[in-house]
Structure formats: C-alpha cells, structure tokens
Amino acid sequence: MSSSEFQDLIERLRHLVAQDTSKSDASVGDLEELILTTLLSSELYGLQIVSILEQTTGRRYSTGTVYPALNRLEQKGLIFSTDREENIEERKGARRKYYKISALGGKCVFEAEQIRQKLYQKSWNLAT
C-alpha cells in the first residue's frame, strides 16, 4: 500500500468516526493492530491475512498465532466474520471464514494512528 493510499484510508476512517468523540476503549496488541490495518481495505479470509502480514512485515506468522488474534478481535467487536461456501468441490466441503473490520475496529485503528503521530511529533520536538 502506498503512502497516498494509506492516507486515503485514514481519511475514510476520519469520516467514519467523526460523529463519535468517545474513545473506543478497546485495547489491542501489535499483531491485532496489524490485522485491523490489513482489513481496512477489504474483506479477507485467514490465510490471506497471514500472507499479507508476512509480505508486508517480512516476518513469519503461523496460523496458530493469527487465528486466536482474529477470535479476540471478533469477541471485542472490532471485526466480524461470515462463512462462505465457495469452491466446495475443491475444498472438500469446507467453508472459508471471511473477516471484515467493524466501525469500532476502524475507530481503534484511527485512534492508534493519532497516538502514533503525536509520539512522532514529540520525538521530533525532543530531538531539536
């Protein structure tokens, strides 16, 4: 994702949360924040999320790490999932679970980005 695409996503999030000035009160860890950010642009299934995380960060992620994080995010109301029956013959009847960020999840990402920008500004001010 390019810098301008990321800024476009941030703008969409600003509009999404503009009416609500309360904090999301949802704390997330680093991996959960990466997953939420990955889901900003589209609905994805678990292995797609793992692949994007690995390609983007250069780190290795196991499904045993990512799927529990997805479950935690869903329990917190930051994402939701839907089961889809696609390529039934190819997948031997197994359904694929697709994940999508909720408005609250988007707000959480937006708040984290705002905090990050404030920290960057403070760091630059301390350095000068």
Side-chain angles (χ1 to χ4, degrees):
M1 176 182 295
S2 71
S3 177
S4 64
E5 289 173 324
F6 182 73
Q7 289 303 322
D8 289 344
L9 286 173
I10 294 299
E11 269 310 304
R12 281 193 277 165
L13 286 173
R14 281 192 179 115
H15 292 294
L16 181 67
V17 300
Q19 296 83 4
D20 188 358
T21 58
S22 62
K23 296 286 181 197
S24 68
D25 292 330
S27 62
V28 295
D30 293 340
L31 175 59
E32 291 171 329
E33 186 180 338
L34 289 173
I35 291 170
L36 288 172
T37 304
T38 301
L39 291 171
L40 283 173
S41 59
S42 62
E43 189 176 17
L44 302 166
Y45 62 90
L47 290 178
Q48 286 177 312
I49 294 168
V50 171
S51 176
I52 290 169
L53 288 173
E54 289 180 345
Q55 290 170 9
T56 305
T57 65
R59 297 182 205 149
R60 182 124 172 81
Y61 292 92
S62 72
T63 55
T65 300
V66 173
Y67 281 102
L70 288 165
N71 287 333
R72 287 191 303 273
L73 289 167
E74 193 164 17
Q75 288 172 352
K76 293 176 184 180
L78 302 175
I79 64 173
F80 55 92
S81 65
T82 54
D83 289 332
R84 291 194 195 154
E85 295 181 9
E86 54 186 36
N87 304 326
I88 297 298
E89 299 81 32
E90 194 176 297
R91 296 179 48 76
K92 297 184 172 95
R95 286 184 250 172
R96 225 177 225 161
K97 190 178 250 191
Y98 279 79
Y99 298 91
K100 186 172 185 174
I101 195 166
S102 68
L104 183 61
K107 186 173 187 173
C108 187
V109 172
F110 178 71
E111 289 171 359
E113 180 60 23
Q114 285 182 317
I115 290 168
R116 192 173 288 107
Q117 288 180 9
K118 286 178 187 177
L119 288 170
Y120 289 149
Q121 288 172 352
K122 285 186 181 200
S123 295
W124 282 110
N125 289 338
L126 290 174
T128 57

